[in-house]
């Protein structure tokens, strides 16, 4: 009988743990970045005083609240309003004018985290006179994040930074028009979410959400391996009308997608792509 | 087969000069990929890439998402992203929280390198005025990698090397030119003592 090396044992334990998370709770992390998953799991293991991933598996299978904790550990929710202002500026100039040509455009913001990106988009649409006739679907697989997104209440510390971002993004008004201060928090103008539908949706395992004119999925794909990036881009391709826009995070691309030929690049630095029209070269 | 697959370097205040000095003696066909986190302001252009490219024999570029690192090439962490090393020597970039007030953080680079390729990584901490890198270097050490710290006497800012030495008890504490020599030996498949 052979003896598994410590490395082999680790790998087996990791695979079994991810399998358990998937079979037990339906969350499929098997094709996420291994470095990301291992780093977070190692941290979770240490914080809980456990000796191995097998022990982590035992814990989360029998203890749902621990599973929730682990889920929080594995999902990176970091976000901000008007992240990468240059991206929003380009969106305003190059994409919004075309979205305006549709009577009722639909936008899907996938992996919207706690909502900052959604409200940024809504502000931009309002300033472009498009918000009232646009339907926004904002989804994430993290329940806590979606709950927070629906409330639209954020800490006041970040407002200075967001104000700068907003201005750099070509904001036409004063950023303070869009929130009011309550104690040391800000409440985003609830009018901005009138046409926003927040929903739980898992990009790995759930089916196509809606057919839309634009999809924004920013800083989500970086946590997936190449195969999973490809699968998710397929899902997006199925969800976009011909001529629809796909926008990604600054470090993301269509490089690993078998469907990249179906897109043309509107702005490579800002990661703005357009699904070609039928027959378009 | 060479024992090591990757060199990871962390530097902060005074780092640019130190990195240039450290890498200048390495030839174009140096046998290992090198990934560097140098603390920089989030909005800065990555001027380091241009500067090092002009002054080194090695090829220098910014680290790209999912790119597999190659020997003879230096990869610089982009401003505002953490760099993870995957088992297949590809790179994952992350926007998560700052670590040690830094993004990119040296600890994050070192930790993921340790987790993914353990005893096949060489970790180096250079000059700097904070504690980033110390824990990561310890992890590399714990997993059997080779750990090196610039001597605190030589470092332009001694704090980071000093903390790294105290925390990780590295295999070597050396001057920059000694580290260059060691790297040449390590890449040439020489077993360090
Ligand atoms: C770093 S945040 C990006 C937030 C925002 N898009 C931005 O760019 O600021 C990544 C988000 O992706 C979500 N996410 C990760 N895996 C997911 C999946 N399988 N399905 C849906 N959302 C996912 C996380 O919960 C997290 O909110």
């Amino acid at each position: 009988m052979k003896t598994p090396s410590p490395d082999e044992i680790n790998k087996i334990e990791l695979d079994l743990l991810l399998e358990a998370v998937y079979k037990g709770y339906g969350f499929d992390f098997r094709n996420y970045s291994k470095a990301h998953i291992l780093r977070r799991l190692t941290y979770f293991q240490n914080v809980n005083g456990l000796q191995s991933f097998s022990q982590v598996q035992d814990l989360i299978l029998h203890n749902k609240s621990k599973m929730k904790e682990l889920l929080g550990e594995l999902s990176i929710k970091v976000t901000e309003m008007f992240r990468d202002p240059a991206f929003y500026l380009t969106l305003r100039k190059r994409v919004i004018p075309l979205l305006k040509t549709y009577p009722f455009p639909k936008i899907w913001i996938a992996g919207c985290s706690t909502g900052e990106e959604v409200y940024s988009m809504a502000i931009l649409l309002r300033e472009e006179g498009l918000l009232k006739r646009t339907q926004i679907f904002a989804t994430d697989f993290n329940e806590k994040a979606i709950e927070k997104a629906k409330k639209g209440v954020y800490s006041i510390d970040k407002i200075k930074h967001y104000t700068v971002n907003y201005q750099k993004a070509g904001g036409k008004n004063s950023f303070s028009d869009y929130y009011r201060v309550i104690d040391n928090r800000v409440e985003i103008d609830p009018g901005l979410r009138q046409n926003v539908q927040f929903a739980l949706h898992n990009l790995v395992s759930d089916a196509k959400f809606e057919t839309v004119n634009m999809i924004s999925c920013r800083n989500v794909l970086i946590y997936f391996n190449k195969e999973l990036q490809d699968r998710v881009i397929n899902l997006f391709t199925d969800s976009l009308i011909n001529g629809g826009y796909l926008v990604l995070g600054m470090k993301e691309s269509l490089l690993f997608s078998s469907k990249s030929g179906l897109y043309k690049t509107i702005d490579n630095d800002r990661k703005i792509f357009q699904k070609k029209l039928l027959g378009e070269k | 087969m060479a024992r090591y697959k990757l060199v990871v370097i962390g530097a902060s205040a005074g780092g640019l000069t130190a990195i240039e000095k450290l890498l200048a003696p390495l030839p174009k066909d140096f046998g290992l990929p090198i990934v560097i986190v140098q603390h920089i302001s989030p909005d800065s252009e990555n001027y380091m890439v241009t500067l090092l490219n002009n002054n080194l024999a090695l090829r220098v570029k910014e680290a790209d998402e999912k790119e597999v690192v190659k020997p003879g090439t230096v990869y610089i962490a982009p401003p505002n992203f953490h760099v993870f090393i995957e088992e297949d020597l590809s790179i994952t970039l992350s926007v998560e929280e700052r670590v040690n007030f830094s993004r990119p953080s040296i600890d994050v680079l070192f930790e993921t390198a340790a987790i993914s390729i353990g005893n096949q990584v060489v970790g180096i901490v250079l000059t700097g005025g904070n504690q980033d890198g110390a824990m990561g270097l310890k992890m590399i050490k714990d997993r059997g990698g080779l750990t090196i710290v610039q001597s605190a006497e030589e470092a332009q800012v001694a704090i980071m090397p000093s903390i790294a030495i105290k925390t990780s008890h590295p295999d070597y504490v050396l001057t920059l030119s000694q580290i260059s020599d060691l790297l040449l030996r390590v890449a040439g498949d020489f077993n360090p003592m």
Side-chain angles (χ1 to χ4, degrees), chain A residues 11 33-36 38-40 42 76 78 83 168 219 221-226 229 250-251 256, chain B residues 62 65-66 68 78 81 84-87 92-97 99 103 108 111-112 115-116 143:
Chain A
K11 283 216 179 73
S33 147
K34 276 275 145 30
H36 161 64
L38 279 169
R39 175 163 175 266
R40 293 284 165 164
T42 305
I76 305 299
V78 177
R83 169 184 239 158
K168 285 194 201 157
N219 305 300
L221 296 181
I222 39 178
Y223 297 101
F224 297 171
N225 71 14
K226 291 181 195 173
Q229 291 195 12
M250 293 310 231
K251 297 296 178 188
F256 313 115
Chain B
E62 195 170 86
E65 161 68 6
K66 296 288 175 287
V68 178
F81 286 84
F84 297 169
I85 302 295
E86 303 282 349
E87 197 180 33
T92 291
L93 298 174
S94 170
V95 295
E96 67 198 78
E97 301 83 351
V99 173
R103 187 174 54 212
V108 172
E111 258 179 52
T112 54
I115 285 174
S116 298
R143 300 200 179 210

Side-chain angles (χ1 to χ4, degrees), chain A:
Chain A
M1 186 167 52
K2 73 167 200 157
T3 316
S5 74
D7 266 2
E8 281 173 327
I9 295 178
N10 271 338
K11 283 216 179 73
I12 296 169
E13 287 186 298
L14 173 67
D15 287 350
L16 291 175
L17 170 55
L18 295 182
E19 205 63 41
V21 169
Y22 178 48
K23 289 209 170 123
Y25 297 97
F27 289 102
D28 187 355
F29 288 102
R30 293 173 301 177
N31 286 303
Y32 276 55
S33 147
K34 276 275 145 30
H36 161 64
I37 295 291
L38 279 169
R39 175 163 175 266
R40 293 284 165 164
L41 279 176
T42 305
Y43 178 79
F44 183 86
Q45 175 189 316
N46 293 341
V47 165
N48 286 283
L50 304 171
Q51 303 309 315
S52 68
F53 289 164
S54 300
Q55 291 185 1
V56 174
Q57 178 182 324
D58 190 42
L59 178 69
I60 58 107
L61 274 179
H62 298 103
N63 185 334
K64 189 171 174 188
S65 75
K66 280 291 171 189
M67 179 58 217
K68 280 193 174 159
E69 246 175 64
L70 179 61
L71 210 56
E73 195 57 54
L74 293 179
S75 69
I76 305 299
K77 293 185 304 214
V78 177
T79 185
E80 58 187 70
M81 289 191 78
F82 293 99
R83 169 184 239 158
D84 312 314
F87 159 76
Y88 284 94
L89 197 61
T90 311
L91 199 67
R92 204 188 272 269
K93 286 198 192 129
R94 311 237 5 223
V95 177
I96 301 294
L98 282 130
L99 282 184
K100 279 184 183 167
T101 64
Y102 296 96
F104 300 105
K106 292 179 182 174
I107 298 176
W108 178 17
I109 301 179
C112 70
S113 189
T114 41
E116 286 84 338
E117 182 187 355
V118 181
Y119 293 108
S120 308
M121 193 68 80
I123 289 171
L124 189 148
L125 292 169
R126 184 188 273 177
E127 292 186 355
E128 296 300 324
L130 197 54
L131 184 61
K132 284 216 172 99
R133 58 187 172 96
T134 305
Q135 172 74 49
I136 299 177
F137 306 100
T139 64
D140 202 284
F141 79 154
N142 186 312
E143 219 173 321
K144 267 195 183 158
I146 285 289
E147 283 316 310
K148 184 157 182 205
K150 280 184 190 163
K151 292 201 181 85
V153 176
Y154 303 109
S155 137
I156 202 165
D157 318 339
K158 299 193 171 149
I159 284 299
K160 228 167 111 184
H161 176 55
Y162 293 174
T163 305
V164 174
N165 278 358
Y166 167 76
Q167 286 159 351
K168 285 194 201 157
K172 291 182 172 166
N173 301 320
S174 158
F175 188 52
S176 57
D177 294 350
Y178 299 108
Y179 63 82
R180 61 186 185 128
V181 178
I182 319 166
D183 301 326
N184 43 18
R185 287 166 304 153
V186 297
E187 184 195 36
I188 303 291
D189 175 1
L192 288 169
R193 60 171 172 268
Q194 228 161 34
N195 292 341
V196 181
Q197 194 179 316
F198 290 99
L200 279 175
H201 180 276
N202 190 328
L203 289 167
V204 182
S205 46
D206 289 340
K208 169 177 157 174
F209 194 76
E210 272 278 347
T211 303
V212 298
N213 302 74
M214 177 168 102
I215 296 172
S216 175
C217 182
R218 308 192 69 219
N219 305 300
V220 181
L221 296 181
I222 39 178
Y223 297 101
F224 297 171
N225 71 14
K226 291 181 195 173
E227 291 74 20
L228 187 52
Q229 291 195 12
D230 179 43
R231 262 167 51 200
V232 174
I233 301 282
N234 285 348
L235 177 74
F236 292 158
T237 306
D238 290 343
S239 311
L240 274 177
I241 62 156
N242 292 326
Y245 292 91
L246 174 60
V247 302
L248 305 174
M250 293 310 231
K251 297 296 178 188
E252 294 161 335
S253 69
L254 299 175
L255 280 178
F256 313 115
S257 164
S258 47
K259 296 283 170 12
S260 62
L262 296 180
Y263 290 86
K264 60 183 182 191
T265 304
I266 301 296
D267 188 320
N268 195 41
D269 289 340
R270 318 280 179 249
K271 309 301 176 194
I272 300 176
F273 307 94
Q274 184 178 24
K275 187 173 161 189
K276 290 177 188 168
L277 298 168
L278 272 180
E280 188 181 4
K281 284 249 172 77

Side-chain angles (χ1 to χ4, degrees), chain B residues 17 36 57 64-65 75 79 92 109 116 127 133 143 145 161 164:
Chain B
T17 325
I36 300 182
D64 261 331
E65 161 68 6
Y75 300 83
T92 291
L109 172 67
S116 298
T127 166
R143 300 200 179 210

Side-chain angles (χ1 to χ4, degrees), chain B residues 69-84:
Chain B
V69 300
K70 299 263 158 54
T73 311
V74 180
Y75 300 83
I76 312 283
N80 231 350
F81 286 84
H82 291 297
V83 175
F84 297 169

